[in-house]
Amino acid sequence: MPAPILTSPSRWLLTMLSLAVFACNTPPPATDQANTSDYYQEKHRPQYHFTPEAHWMNDPNGMFYLDGEYHLFYQYYPDSTVWGPMHWGHAISKDLTHWEHLPIALYPDSLGMIFSGSAVVDTKNTSGFGKAGQTPIVAIFTQHDMAGEKAGKSDFQTQSIAYSLDKGRTWTVYDQNPVLPNPGIRDFRDPKVMWHEASARWVMALACQDHIRFYTSPDLKKWELGSEFGKQSGAHGGVWECPDLFPLTVDGETHWVLFVSINPGGVNGGSGTQYFVGDFDGKKFTNTNTPDTQLWLDYGRDNYAGVTWSNIPASDGRRLFIGWMSNWNYAQVVPTTVWRSAMTLPRTLSLVQAPEGLRVASQPVQELSVLRKDSVAINLEGGKAPKALPITGSLLELVLDFDWEGSLKGDLVLKFENSQGEYVQVMYNDSLVTLSIDRTAAGDMSFEPGFKGVHPAPLIGKTEGSLSLHVFLDKSSLEVFSQEGKTVLTDIFFPGEDFTTVKCSTTSGQTVTVKGMGYGLKSAW
């Protein structure tokens, strides 16, 4: 998604206001300071999440793996910390943990800005772009014609392609773009392309205002409409965008999962990502659940527009995901200066059979363990008086199991706090079977009245008398994975000083046993 989704006049006004403030809101350009002591040390700067060196970032785009490198492209405006004419920023990693910034990959041209999209490794050279044995990488993206939108046209978004023969370092824009003209749909964007082996064709999932269209192509240049899905399914509180379609296997059976980001209309307000589980025959997606079923990938307020990497080797076999760790309700006004926005941790997705039905589970990638520098065994009892865990720091990973006798009264609370009295806490309520992040006292909220709040999630796959949590704290964010990733929450916050102390308690005074491990983490930068 390129910008906050509002009514058309409001969207144009917001865009113009954003452009108008560039001159007074432009921070100094990024410098080559990777070897200096203050590099990536600004207040609130995440230390092991991906952030741009400077300026504005939103949706992850064009992710693929090739020859030992994970490529991450992203929506980028290189001249300010608020949204502007979109480019594709670019970074690579060998371990999904440490990232190297590369030059901007794609720039706006005569067809418009470079909005969200995807990239594929065309190993069969179906596109014909490959030369002398060089495998082409093809990027497929939306181009947004701002002049057309301003003029009140409905066809100002089209789909274009570019290709690279040097592993994504440089790109050649196809001279016959657009490859998919707009049929008259105002919101016509965010192509996510995959190779469908059974039909030997490329399949594009494209967001079209309130539904998804599936197009097919033999060569990434000529596209035909296959089917539509979603006008009467799932959540419709806002515009649909940033789809992703892929197979996952559980108990030896393959199912298809369709991600759809929506803004507004997220489960806890503003931006959010829903998903559907069903079947796909190469042209048509069939939802297994009833049309009114709403499934959410992450119940926090800050995981949006996420998609998965393409070309992951079969020997690896994982479905790898990353999302934009923000929310359009406040993304442009959060209190950071040199840069704005971060990505979530990379996550491994799986399909699991829960009592509630088939669900997508998310877990942090195993590669993150290289950041562990200190380890502390945790074995204590929490009650009415908060008990401090024997680990401190602003970069933490906690792997915890909680046990109690009978039914748990009140809330189980895991609180992260600082000396100023600010805190963010994870709460579990056994009677409601909910897991929540409470950021009502987590620091600066002056930038947006709706930022303050408690964000609940249903605990999927509840087990009696116990709870498991895998929690990551990184300066200004908390990511909580529960019950092996069946329930996930991601929230950002901006405290006056870092949260460094963790305490456990119960509001009822009931005794809870806490066992597990705590890890202090190193900066990835």
Side-chain angles (χ1 to χ4, degrees):
M1 183 187 84
I5 299 302
L6 307 168
T7 61
S8 180
S10 298
R11 181 171 62 241
W12 172 247
L13 178 60
L14 177 59
T15 301
M16 291 301 99
L17 288 173
S18 295
L19 291 171
V21 301
F22 288 165
C24 61
N25 196 38
T26 300
T31 59
D32 184 12
Q33 54 177 338
N35 296 319
T36 65
S37 60
D38 60 349
Y39 183 67
Y40 268 60
Q41 294 302 307
E42 302 93 348
K43 187 176 182 180
H44 306 310
R45 170 80 84 164
Q47 292 298 294
Y48 57 86
H49 288 75
F50 180 84
T51 54
E53 285 188 304
H55 308 125
W56 170 267
M57 177 185 75
N58 55 288
D59 307 359
N61 296 153
M63 294 122 65
F64 68 90
Y65 174 88
L66 184 64
D67 294 342
E69 295 177 337
Y70 297 91
H71 290 255
L72 170 63
F73 300 85
Y74 51 92
Q75 291 285 276
Y76 186 54
Y77 183 60
D79 294 325
S80 182
T81 54
V82 296
W83 184 91
M86 287 289 96
H87 302 55
W88 271 21
H90 187 196
I92 58 171
S93 174
K94 295 184 182 297
D95 63 0
L96 291 168
T97 302
H98 300 89
W99 293 92
E100 175 187 350
H101 296 289
L102 295 181
I104 292 171
L106 296 173
Y107 290 78
D109 61 23
S110 61
L111 293 180
M113 304 178 193
I114 311 297
F115 276 13
S116 291
S118 53
V120 296
V121 180
D122 185 12
T123 55
K124 302 178 187 294
N125 196 26
T126 62
S127 63
F129 292 139
K131 298 176 182 177
Q134 295 173 303
T135 300
I137 301 155
V138 181
I140 309 96
F141 48 90
T142 297
Q143 293 208 257
H144 182 100
D145 175 17
M146 187 63 75
E149 181 184 14
K150 182 180 179 181
K153 296 181 178 179
S154 60
D155 61 352
F156 52 85
Q157 291 183 341
T158 56
Q159 316 315 313
S160 294
I161 60 176
Y163 65 93
S164 172
L165 299 178
D166 58 1
K167 300 181 182 180
R169 268 59 177 184
T170 61
W171 294 84
T172 301
V173 176
Y174 184 45
D175 60 7
Q176 296 183 50
N177 281 334
V179 295
L180 181 57
N182 190 310
I185 301 172
R186 285 191 56 83
D187 299 293
F188 186 73
R189 58 172 176 262
D190 311 335
K192 186 63 163 69
V193 174
M194 55 156 286
W195 177 257
H196 187 253
E197 190 64 41
S199 61
R201 293 178 71 86
W202 297 102
V203 173
M204 176 195 295
L206 190 71
C208 299
Q209 201 164 41
D210 63 348
H211 65 284
I212 303 300
R213 285 189 170 194
F214 297 102
Y215 290 86
T216 65
S217 173
D219 59 4
L220 298 165
K221 300 173 181 176
K222 300 182 293 291
W223 293 92
E224 296 179 356
L225 178 62
S227 66
E228 297 182 351
F229 168 78
K231 289 185 177 181
Q232 306 300 324
S233 297
H236 282 274
V239 174
W240 282 24
E241 51 193 4
C242 299
D244 196 359
L245 176 70
F246 51 88
L248 288 175
T249 300
V250 58
D251 298 330
E253 185 174 355
T254 298
H255 301 263
W256 286 82
V257 176
L258 174 64
F259 283 1
V260 177
S261 288
I262 181 173
N263 179 63
V267 62
N268 272 313
S271 313
T273 299
Q274 61 181 325
Y275 68 90
F276 304 87
V277 180
D279 299 311
F280 184 70
D281 63 5
K283 290 187 176 181
K284 181 180 179 181
F285 178 83
T286 303
N287 188 9
T288 300
N289 296 298
T290 59
D292 60 345
T293 299
Q294 294 184 16
L295 304 176
W296 298 94
L297 183 67
D298 191 315
Y299 284 82
R301 294 201 69 192
D302 297 299
N303 181 0
Y304 189 64
V307 288
T308 62
W309 268 271
S310 67
N311 203 50
I312 299 298
S315 58
D316 181 318
R318 293 178 294 174
R319 177 60 57 171
L320 298 172
F321 165 96
I322 201 168
W324 177 46
M325 195 160 61
S326 196
N327 189 305
W328 278 115
N329 279 13
Y330 42 76
Q332 298 197 91
V333 293
V334 295
T336 63
T337 53
V338 174
W339 90 102
R340 273 210 177 99
S341 298
M343 296 300 181
T344 68
L345 290 176
R347 304 175 182 185
T348 301
L349 305 180
S350 60
L351 196 63
V352 298
Q353 186 65 254
E356 296 85 350
L358 288 175
R359 295 293 185 269
V360 173
S362 308
Q363 299 205 60
V365 296
Q366 60 195 20
E367 287 89 340
L368 293 166
S369 63
V370 302
L371 296 175
R372 294 173 178 173
K373 65 176 183 178
D374 303 310
S375 61
V376 177
I378 296 170
N379 188 351
L380 56 85
E381 289 186 345
K384 188 70 172 178
K387 184 71 69 72
L389 274 61
I391 188 167
T392 60
S394 59
L395 311 179
L396 294 177
E397 176 187 1
L398 303 175
V399 184
L400 303 174
D401 290 308
F402 302 82
D403 293 282
W404 57 85
E405 294 293 333
S407 58
L408 182 67
K409 306 298 190 296
D411 289 322
L412 166 63
V413 179
L414 190 68
K415 178 186 285 188
F416 299 80
E417 59 185 18
N418 61 23
S419 65
Q420 297 182 7
E422 298 169 334
Y423 61 85
V424 61
Q425 55 189 12
V426 181
M427 303 182 298
Y428 172 65
N429 187 289
D430 198 35
S431 60
L432 297 176
V433 198
T434 58
L435 186 69
S436 306
I437 291 181
D438 172 9
R439 67 181 184 193
T440 55
D444 185 2
M445 302 179 196
S446 62
F447 52 88
E448 205 274 326
F451 187 82
K452 182 177 182 179
V454 178
H455 309 135
L459 190 73
I460 300 170
K462 176 188 177 183
T463 52
E464 295 296 329
S466 66
L467 174 72
S468 66
L469 294 179
H470 193 173
V471 183
F472 286 83
L473 171 70
D474 185 2
K475 295 286 186 178
S476 55
S477 67
L478 200 64
E479 289 171 86
V480 181
F481 304 84
S482 183
Q483 307 302 87
E484 299 179 322
K486 299 183 189 71
T487 295
V488 180
L489 295 112
T490 302
D491 270 14
I492 60 174
F493 38 78
F494 303 94
E497 66 177 40
D498 293 341
F499 298 129
T500 57
T501 303
V502 190
K503 295 180 180 178
C504 177
S505 63
T506 57
T507 57
S508 67
Q510 188 173 347
T511 299
V512 171
T513 301
V514 188
K515 295 183 178 180
M517 294 295 298
Y519 303 95
L521 303 181
K522 297 176 290 188
S523 173
W525 299 99

